[in-house]
Amino acid sequence: MRKITKSLDLVKQEIEKLKGQNIKMQVNLGRKKLVNYEGVVEDIYNSVFVVSITSEKKVAPPLAPNESKMANLVEVYSQPKKLSYSFCDVLCGDVKIAIKK
């Protein structure tokens, strides 16, 4: 069980500060599957926030122990794709957000 080091209100305040800024996100899909996104925080609601995605990079684990790691797949969208996440996802560590430099 994970220790909660922040409150949900604090996470929401931090994401509100990121509204309109370019960010990098790392989303844990489970079973060693990670997806890295770049985008902009567009809207913030009571329990979720919406991110407009500009690029996506999927990181796949190797299929067999002797197989080398698969190459990262990079997709760039002409029209931004929108995804929504809850503040609980950030609090639990399934979604990590950083400002893009």
Side-chain angles (χ1 to χ4, degrees):
M1 192 164 155
R2 296 182 186 184
K3 277 190 174 181
I4 297 176
T5 57
K6 296 182 180 180
S7 70
L8 199 56
D9 292 329
L10 183 60
V11 170
K12 187 174 180 179
Q13 289 173 2
E14 289 177 358
I15 293 175
E16 284 176 350
K17 292 177 187 177
L18 297 175
K19 186 174 179 179
Q21 294 186 19
N22 291 329
I23 61 166
K24 290 183 179 182
M25 293 178 49
Q26 183 180 45
V27 180
N28 184 353
L29 300 175
R31 297 197 173 236
K32 298 182 183 180
K33 295 178 197 160
L34 299 174
V35 180
N36 295 321
Y37 294 113
E38 291 181 5
V40 177
V41 177
E42 280 196 354
D43 294 318
I44 298 174
Y45 298 101
N46 289 335
S47 58
V48 298
F49 60 98
V50 178
V51 179
S52 177
I53 303 300
T54 55
S55 70
E56 174 180 346
K57 186 182 288 186
K58 296 178 183 178
V59 180
L63 297 176
N66 58 354
E67 189 176 334
S68 64
K69 197 165 193 171
M70 294 173 60
N72 293 338
L73 303 174
V74 178
E75 300 176 22
V76 178
Y77 303 103
S78 58
Q79 287 187 338
K81 176 169 109 171
K82 293 185 181 183
L83 298 174
S84 63
Y85 294 98
S86 70
F87 298 112
C88 294
D89 292 335
V90 177
L91 184 65
C92 293
D94 292 337
V95 175
K96 296 178 184 177
I97 300 175
I99 296 174
K100 184 180 173 185
K101 295 179 182 181

